[in-house]
Amino acid sequence: NYRNYKELNLSLADNINIFLGRNAQGKTNIVEAIYYAAVGHSYRTNQETELIQWNTPGGSVKLLFERLGVDNTLEFTFSREKRRRILYNGQPIRLKELIGAMNAVLFSPEDLFLIKGAPAGRRRFLDIEISQASPAYYHELASYNRLLLQRNTLLKRIREHSAKASMLEMWDPQLAASAARIVEKRHTAVKKLNMLANLMQRRISDNEENLSVTYEQSGTEWQTVTADLVSWYNKRLRESLENDIWRGSTSVGPHRDDISLAVNGIELKAFGSQGQQRTGVLALKLSELEFIRSETGEYPVLLLDDVMSELDVKRREQLLHFIRREHIQTIITATDEAYFPARRIGQYYRVAAGRISMG
């Protein structure tokens, strides 16, 4: 009872799995279920009741996977009446214990807007990547968001004269310390990502383009920030207090930061061609695979949801060549077999109206 699948038992090949079929048949539901198992939420909806098949009270997904040679299971139970339940190897766990159990990297058509889209999308990309490699980072991020919510609530109360500004003295040092830990981890990750993404960009562009990825910290350059980030954040919070009270929100912190991408010194978001932007996103996604492998010891599962039609022939060939060379388990959805080499690669599946057949 997950989406349009009444019941489905599916064994995946350990290399490339290609799901072919017309639109709205259930291909993306397979990718979504695997991604959900990795990060604990859907990339298509915020309403978990939408994951349950129509006119049924509940549904479930169970994933059997191997991690570093050890067999594991993850099970998710959804209900229209109760909160979801997560079992990891038979034991109930919370979301913060799920992150990092089974890693996956998703590449969907929406990701093609990663470069020219809003900063929130790039922060989300970075946070998911680091969290899968380091669950402790996810815990820190969750803690920061709680502190930020409490501070913003207090700012609104101060603006409405129902609380005193002196009450911020309890929250600001905690927020500054948490912000510093997050930004230090992000800076280290982006430094590594910069190296990996440039390597991928050079491969895809036949050594014609260099891609740089830099971290932009709340309106200033990293290099201008003193080594003591905690003190820097405390100072900035004090300096922006009057404006923060007026706005009812915190204007300084990792929730305002961004990453910038440039090819041969030219900023991709503002001046890159559509082809350069798509190559940049592809390089970024491939570097995400390498980043997680370098941090955890093995590649994550790669999920390619209907992106083959969005890439030209050269980029498709480069992507498939990389996947096959590195032996990455990959799940691909597509509407047309013509997007793939004439000589078949991996395992093919046909999807029609919530039914899957081999071939």
Side-chain angles (χ1 to χ4, degrees), residues 138-139 154 168 178 180 202 232 258-259 262 285 287-288 297 335:
Y138 176 82
H139 299 165
L154 181 55
L168 288 169
S178 183
R202 291 185 64 81
W232 185 84
D258 198 358
I259 56 174
K285 283 293 176 178
S287 67
E288 185 180 6
T335 56

Side-chain angles (χ1 to χ4, degrees), residues 93-345:
I93 61 170
R94 292 178 291 176
L95 177 61
K96 67 179 183 178
E97 299 167 294
L98 170 68
I99 304 301
M102 197 283 292
N103 293 327
V105 166
L106 170 70
F107 190 10
S108 69
E110 290 74 19
D111 290 316
L112 294 170
F113 297 96
L114 188 63
I115 290 174
K116 59 183 178 181
R122 290 183 289 276
R123 287 195 299 269
R124 185 165 54 249
F125 160 79
L126 191 58
D127 287 338
I128 291 175
E129 175 187 280
I130 302 174
S131 293
Q132 290 196 86
S134 173
Y137 175 83
Y138 176 82
H139 299 165
E140 188 64 61
L141 193 63
S143 176
Y144 175 82
N145 287 330
R146 284 194 299 269
L147 290 166
L148 182 64
L149 178 62
Q150 290 164 331
R151 186 180 195 267
N152 288 345
T153 300
L154 181 55
L155 287 169
K156 292 181 178 71
R157 290 181 60 205
I158 295 169
R159 184 182 61 190
E160 295 162 2
H161 307 291
S162 61
K164 295 181 179 180
S166 59
M167 295 178 67
L168 288 169
E169 295 175 2
M170 179 175 69
W171 297 112
D172 285 6
Q174 297 180 65
L175 191 70
S178 183
R181 289 190 288 268
I182 289 169
V183 169
E184 285 172 351
K185 188 70 175 178
R186 282 182 180 177
H187 178 66
T188 300
V190 168
K191 187 176 180 180
K192 191 170 190 177
L193 193 63
N194 175 58
M195 177 187 67
L196 294 170
N198 186 46
L199 179 63
M200 296 301 170
Q201 184 83 8
R202 291 185 64 81
R203 287 178 180 173
I204 297 170
S205 66
D206 294 327
N207 291 320
E208 292 180 0
E209 296 178 345
N210 287 298
L211 176 67
S212 63
V213 185
T214 55
Y215 190 76
E216 296 184 343
Q217 187 180 337
S218 290
T220 186
E221 295 292 335
W222 169 271
Q223 290 82 0
T224 67
V225 179
T226 60
D228 187 357
L229 266 178
V230 178
S231 297
W232 185 84
Y233 273 118
N234 274 312
K235 181 182 178 183
R236 288 296 305 274
L237 288 170
R238 288 193 301 270
E239 291 172 346
S240 62
L241 179 57
E242 185 176 338
N243 183 50
D244 287 357
I245 293 173
W246 179 77
R247 295 175 56 182
S249 63
T250 304
S251 59
V252 177
H255 63 290
R256 298 282 184 178
D257 295 353
D258 198 358
I259 56 174
S260 175
L261 295 93
V263 166
N264 296 338
I266 300 172
E267 185 186 3
L268 272 182
K269 182 179 180 179
F271 305 107
S273 67
Q274 186 181 61
Q276 286 177 320
Q277 289 178 347
R278 293 193 170 198
T279 300
V281 171
L282 180 55
L284 205 57
K285 283 293 176 178
L286 295 180
S287 67
E288 185 180 6
L289 291 168
E290 290 288 358
F291 177 87
I292 294 177
R293 184 191 65 83
S294 69
E295 295 288 315
T296 66
E298 62 183 9
Y299 281 113
V301 175
L302 176 59
L303 307 172
L304 303 175
D305 184 21
D306 200 27
V307 295
M308 305 308 283
S309 60
E310 302 290 338
L311 301 174
D312 60 27
V313 174
K314 179 183 176 182
R315 292 184 182 90
R316 285 201 299 266
E317 290 176 350
Q318 292 280 1
L319 176 58
L320 292 172
H321 175 73
F322 177 80
I323 293 168
R324 296 175 72 185
R325 188 190 70 206
E326 299 299 327
H327 306 289
I328 299 170
Q329 186 175 31
T330 306
I331 292 84
I332 307 175
T333 68
T335 56
D336 194 334
E337 194 169 344
Y339 295 132
F340 304 94
R343 185 177 180 180
R344 282 195 161 197
I345 55 173

